[in-house]
């Protein structure tokens, strides 16, 4: 695996110097300041590449921007409303520009409204560090009692509805506001939350759009952009829903192996692939991560390696982001499956035999606790995760594949 590190740009508390010292071989980044649906220009792409290539003192960093995460798909495209056709054309042009700059892997998602959802961004674990957590009962508090979404109580188990009512009666106004901010944090590259009215407006836009319709919109999008990606040599890779079950009454269509099977078969191309996120898939118990890697390996173009610990085996349940080797996913078995796929690619002469991975998220530990970095992206916690993953990868490579 090629070891990469996510970087949000010059405002990121983790600097390029830090990334070099962590031993990462490349950088994952995006143009977060460019609005969704707008063309990524060659000039802006070049600026980000230069930033990655340069240390604080102006000397060469020795690393490069290698993976885009994300080139966002606009809400207009997902809903097929407004300027969605122009947004598709702009996406194609962005793909041409990133390819001309030498970038080959583009991660994106097709989640309606919110990119990811958590109820607690600073959940304290046993060792005193913090992490992100999704609590189904707190989310029910938000949906039923704070957002007051019509019909929300019907989407939760009766015991969850009852517990949410109990929690809401004891929750202060400040706690309610904090919960709403946590849930509506928005895109990973942003520090701004949507207001409740913003959320309601977005939800209203999706009224009448069923899962099957959203799948149809996704296939329409891919039918347009995948041929361009093929032409210019870019590998698109869709990130799974996070978490991988329905929320807010919205359709969620990329949560399971069956979901990916449908989309990858509908537009069958080496340029149409998967971002295998072990944390997102791992949040529901019926997703077998090593089996998913074995099945979709040839079309896995990017890897997010993180772990979660589930409270129960409910499909829609609570979980927190565990240490990379400490959650419910057997990370050793998953890495073994990844290495098998890489060995197969090497035997067949694929130029992308080495799959880029990054240590996804991490727990805030040590000095991270005072830094208050982007939620999920502490420097030391990710460094620890990368070291653990690197150790597993190295050990398995020597033992099972005779690699040196």
């Amino acid at each position: 695996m090629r070891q990469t590190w996510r970087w949000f740009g010059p405002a990121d508390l983790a600097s390029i110097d830090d990334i070099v010292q962590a031993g990462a071989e490349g950088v994952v980044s995006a143009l977060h300041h460019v609005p969704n649906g707008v063309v990524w220009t060659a000039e802006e792409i070049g600026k980000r590449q230069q930033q990655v290539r340069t240390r604080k003192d102006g000397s060469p960093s020795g690393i490069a921007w290698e993976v885009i995460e994300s080139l966002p798909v606009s809400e207009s495209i997902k809903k097929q409303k407004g300027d969605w056709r122009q947004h598709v054309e702009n996406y194609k042009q962005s793909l041409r520009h990133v390819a001309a700059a030498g970038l080959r892997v583009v991660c994106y998602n097709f989640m309606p409204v919110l990119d990811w959802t958590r109820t607690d961004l600073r959940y304290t674990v046993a060792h005193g560090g913090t992490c992100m957590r999704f609590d189904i009962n707190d989310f029910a508090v938000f949906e039923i009692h704070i957002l007051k979404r019509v019909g929300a109580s019907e989407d939760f188990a009766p015991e969850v509805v009852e517990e949410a009512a109990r929690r809401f009666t004891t929750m202060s106004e400040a706690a309610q506001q904090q919960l709403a901010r946590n849930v509506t944090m928005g895109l990973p590259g942003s520090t701004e939350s949507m207001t409740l009215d913003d959320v309601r407006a977005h939800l209203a836009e999706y009224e009448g759009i069923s899962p099957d319709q959203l799948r149809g919109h996704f296939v329409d999008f891919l039918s347009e952009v995948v041929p361009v990606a093929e032409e210019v040599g870019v590998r698109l890779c869709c990130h799974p829903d996070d978490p991988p079950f329905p929320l807010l009454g919205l359709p969620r269509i990329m949560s399971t192996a069956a979901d990916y099977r449908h989309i990858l078969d509908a537009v069958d191309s080496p340029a149409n692939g998967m971002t295998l996120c072990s944390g997102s898939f791992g949040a529901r118990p019926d997703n077998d991560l090593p089996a998913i890697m074995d099945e979709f390996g040839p079309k896995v173009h990017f890897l997010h390696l993180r772990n979660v610990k589930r409270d129960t085996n409910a499909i829609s349940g609570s979980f927190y982001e565990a240490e990379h080797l400490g959650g419910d996913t057997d990370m050793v078995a998953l890495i073994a499956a990844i290495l098998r796929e890489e060995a197969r690619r090497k035997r067949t002469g694929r130029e992308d035999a080495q799959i880029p991975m990054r240590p996804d998220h991490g727990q805030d530990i040590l000095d991270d606790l005072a830094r208050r970095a982007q939620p999920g992206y502490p420097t030391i916690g990710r460094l620890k995760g990368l070291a653990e993953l690197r150790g597993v990868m190295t050990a398995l490579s020597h033992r099972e594949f005779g690699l040196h």
Side-chain angles (χ1 to χ4, degrees):
M1 288 178 281
R2 186 157 182 83
Q3 300 163 41
T4 64
W5 188 279
R6 191 171 194 184
W7 190 58
F8 291 100
D12 196 322
L13 292 182
S15 67
I16 293 298
D17 296 49
D18 295 335
I19 296 170
V20 172
Q21 291 174 21
E25 299 166 308
V27 164
V28 177
S29 194
L31 304 181
H32 298 293
H33 59 287
V34 177
N36 294 357
V38 174
V39 173
W40 283 18
T41 65
E43 180 183 11
E44 288 300 318
I45 294 166
K47 284 181 183 177
R48 178 53 49 89
Q49 288 179 308
Q50 185 59 35
Q51 290 164 349
V52 172
R53 289 195 293 258
T54 309
R55 295 178 187 255
K56 290 178 181 177
D57 64 3
S59 64
S61 67
I63 59 176
W65 183 12
E66 297 186 6
V67 178
I68 291 173
E69 185 181 353
S70 295
L71 179 53
V73 180
S74 73
E75 290 297 303
S76 296
I77 292 174
K78 295 170 191 172
K79 295 177 294 190
Q80 291 195 356
K81 294 182 179 180
D83 294 334
W84 74 275
R85 293 185 188 277
Q86 184 59 53
H87 287 189
V88 171
E89 293 305 313
N90 291 349
Y91 205 97
K92 293 177 186 178
Q93 191 60 38
S94 294
L95 290 178
R96 295 185 182 102
H97 287 166
V98 300
L103 290 152
R104 292 291 177 261
V105 180
V106 174
C107 173
Y108 69 99
N109 72 68
F110 216 78
M111 281 179 270
V113 182
L114 294 173
D115 229 20
W116 52 269
T117 308
R118 299 293 185 271
T119 56
D120 192 340
L121 307 182
R122 310 286 177 185
Y123 174 72
T124 302
V125 294
H127 58 50
T130 64
C131 66
M132 297 203 294
R133 173 174 169 80
F134 178 86
D135 188 297
I136 192 69
N137 299 294
D138 284 341
F139 191 78
V141 170
F142 170 77
E143 273 218 67
I144 299 170
H145 301 285
I146 298 175
L147 186 64
K148 295 182 172 63
R149 181 175 70 83
V150 175
S153 59
E154 299 171 9
D155 291 343
F156 296 94
E159 61 271 18
V160 173
V161 175
E162 182 179 346
E163 174 62 15
R166 187 195 66 79
R167 292 189 184 188
F168 182 68
T169 60
T170 63
M171 192 175 284
S172 68
E173 182 68 26
Q176 293 176 36
Q177 292 174 358
Q178 184 63 58
L179 175 59
R181 281 195 296 271
N182 292 345
V183 170
T184 60
M185 267 296 288
L187 300 177
S190 172
T191 57
E192 297 181 1
S193 297
M194 286 187 276
T195 67
L196 294 180
D197 285 341
D198 290 335
V199 175
R200 293 183 185 109
H202 278 295
L203 296 184
E205 286 286 308
Y206 277 90
E207 286 182 6
I209 298 179
S210 68
D212 283 344
Q213 284 176 295
L214 188 62
R215 286 188 191 93
H217 294 177
F218 193 9
V219 172
D220 289 343
F221 167 72
L222 291 173
S223 297
E224 290 283 336
V225 302
V226 167
V228 174
E230 265 193 62
E231 175 190 335
V232 299
V234 166
R235 296 183 291 278
L236 296 168
C237 40
C238 185
H239 187 285
D241 300 327
D242 184 12
F245 42 78
L247 298 174
L248 296 168
L250 294 166
R252 306 274 271 197
I253 60 168
M254 298 303 286
S255 296
T256 65
D259 291 332
Y260 273 86
R261 211 171 287 126
H262 177 88
I263 292 299
L264 297 183
D265 288 349
V267 184
D268 188 7
S269 165
N272 182 25
M274 170 192 289
T275 295
L276 193 156
C277 177
S278 57
S280 294
F281 278 132
R284 55 185 288 165
D286 56 344
N287 280 332
D288 182 332
L289 269 297
I292 288 173
M293 184 65 211
D294 285 337
E295 177 178 355
F296 298 99
K299 290 189 176 181
V300 172
H301 300 320
F302 187 31
L303 298 156
H304 289 181
L305 297 184
R306 63 180 173 91
N307 221 325
V308 299
K309 185 67 179 175
R310 300 184 299 269
D311 288 12
T312 68
N313 277 327
I315 296 297
S316 301
S318 304
F319 61 88
Y320 68 89
E321 305 212 1
E323 294 172 307
H324 285 75
L325 304 184
D328 289 314
T329 293
D330 185 341
M331 193 63 72
V332 176
L334 174 57
I335 291 175
I338 295 166
L339 293 177
R340 286 195 298 271
E341 170 60 21
E342 289 189 325
R344 188 197 65 78
R345 292 184 183 193
K346 188 175 181 181
R347 289 193 302 270
T348 58
R350 276 181 60 163
E351 66 175 17
D352 61 340
Q354 197 176 30
I355 306 172
M357 74 80 148
R358 66 174 177 85
D360 195 13
H361 297 184
Q363 296 185 343
D364 289 71
I365 57 175
L366 306 176
D367 289 355
D368 285 334
L369 291 166
R371 284 195 187 99
R372 310 292 285 187
Q374 182 83 16
Y377 290 92
T379 301
I380 300 171
R382 282 187 291 165
L383 174 60
K384 177 175 180 283
L386 178 58
E388 293 173 342
L389 297 168
R390 183 184 291 142
V392 173
M393 178 179 68
T394 303
L396 289 177
S397 296
H398 281 272
R399 188 187 73 187
E400 298 185 24
F401 300 98
L403 303 177
H404 299 284

